[in-house]
Amino acid sequence: MRTRSETKWLINEIAALAGDLERIDREMADLATRRERELAALAGQREKTRRAREACLATLAITASMTTEAKLPVVHAHRPYDRRGGLLAFLRAAITQAAPSAVNTEYLARMALEHMGLEIASPKEYSRFKHNTVGRALRRFEEDGFVQRIATRTVGGAPFSAWRLKAAIPTLDALRESIELTDISRMGEKGR
Amino acid sequence: MALTMTRTRTQTALTQLAKLVAEVHGELSTVESLIQNHPEHAVALRKRRTELESHRDAFYATIKQFNPELDPTVVGALDGWMRPYGRSGTKTAIARYLKSLSD
């Protein structure tokens, strides 16, 4: 005997809705664990920061006899960049992602402005941002050995440089040495 | 107050912090030897030693905050801390130091 149409539909619908309920429960549990993990990470950051501040306060009390009774100011100077070192962290990530391609300050500036939702008032401010902020960051990265400058290219007369993640390129001597070390017996054979 | 320091002021700050660490190292080693040689002042000396150790930990943490790549344990010892008590190493200076601890 055939099942009645509405019965069949109802049973199917009830089963599908039960499946939906389970999916939603799973999503809620996942979100809860993710939230817990992020809170724990932030709590760890907070503890580290608090301990560092305590140490600096203690040092200030010892050296300058400036006790904590003095009301010390709070500074949020890096709010546009999320946190202290936020812009540098973003630039590092952008350079690493672009690797092995090279980037220049124009590209990095555009990405930073878009990603951080920064607002630039005038073209002069934009050029200063590119040259002073992003440029200095790149020069600092070069000092630290994180990026390398590629030969400058000229576009319409104005030279500019491109930068990319420093690749571990061995020198010719180092290459020769590594070849010798691996296979001395084959050194004389040609056309191998 | 400008929020970023010039290179000079950063260098000077680091030098002064290192000097602090060195003087704590110096005073700690002196206090250790004094505990051996002047057991009559042991209580006050031990109290001073605990105080110095807590100062030292605060200074180490401060230097780590200044630059995480620096290792404050490699800083040597200075005896400039003894200057208020007299010329370093003299018996009178040490006597004044011990007296100041006991007060």
Side-chain angles (χ1 to χ4, degrees), chain B residues 38 41 85 90-102:
Chain B
H38 292 259
H41 291 101
Y85 303 103
T90 58
K91 274 204 283 209
T92 37
I94 302 229
R96 277 196 212 114
Y97 177 66
L98 289 170
K99 185 164 179 302
S100 79
L101 285 186
S102 319

Side-chain angles (χ1 to χ4, degrees), chain B residues 61-76:
Chain B
T62 307
I63 289 201
K64 273 278 180 236
Q65 180 64 20
F66 188 92
N67 184 344
E69 293 173 19
L70 299 174
D71 180 15
T73 54
V74 305
V75 175

Side-chain angles (χ1 to χ4, degrees), chain A residues 7-184:
Chain A
T7 313
K8 185 167 183 187
W9 181 86
L10 280 167
I11 293 176
N12 193 47
E13 196 64 20
I14 290 169
L17 288 169
D20 269 344
L21 278 174
E22 278 189 16
R23 172 189 59 86
I24 291 178
D25 282 334
R26 207 169 2 114
E27 271 189 42
M28 287 172 71
D30 284 346
L31 190 62
T33 38
R34 228 180 309 142
R35 174 87 49 78
E36 252 183 60
R37 225 182 309 136
E38 287 175 21
L39 272 176
L42 277 177
Q45 270 185 37
R46 183 181 204 284
E47 185 55 27
K48 248 180 45 175
T49 309
R50 190 194 61 84
R51 260 190 253 138
R53 185 168 182 270
E54 294 292 324
C56 290
L57 276 170
T59 307
L60 185 65
I62 297 168
T63 60
S65 311
M66 210 186 282
T67 61
T68 53
E69 313 306 325
K71 199 77 170 67
L72 294 176
V74 179
V75 160
H76 290 288
H78 297 82
R79 208 169 251 165
Y81 304 127
D82 301 333
R83 58 182 171 86
R84 255 211 292 193
L87 184 62
L88 285 183
F90 173 77
L91 292 177
R92 259 186 235 117
I95 293 173
T96 315
Q97 262 191 349
S101 309
V103 298
N104 63 3
T105 52
E106 169 75 36
Y107 171 81
L108 286 175
R110 255 186 306 125
M111 301 227 29
L113 293 178
E114 214 182 284
H115 185 262
M116 302 195 151
L118 303 170
E119 287 197 2
I120 298 288
S122 63
K124 198 125 176 253
E125 193 178 329
Y126 178 65
S127 118
R128 274 191 307 210
F129 179 71
K130 269 198 321 180
H131 188 262
N132 294 340
T133 313
V134 180
R136 291 199 74 197
L138 282 172
R139 272 171 260 144
R140 179 67 199 274
F141 288 160
E142 191 184 21
E143 263 177 37
D144 296 340
F146 175 67
V147 302
Q148 59 185 149
R149 219 196 259 249
I150 306 198
T152 53
R153 299 155 33 212
T154 40
V155 171
F160 69 92
S161 27
W163 313 70
R164 72 155 174 223
L165 202 64
K166 190 160 190 151
I169 302 175
T171 60
L172 199 52
D173 296 328
L175 267 178
R176 281 208 203 98
E177 270 177 33
S178 66
I179 292 174
E180 281 176 12
L181 284 171
T182 49
D183 211 336
I184 295 189

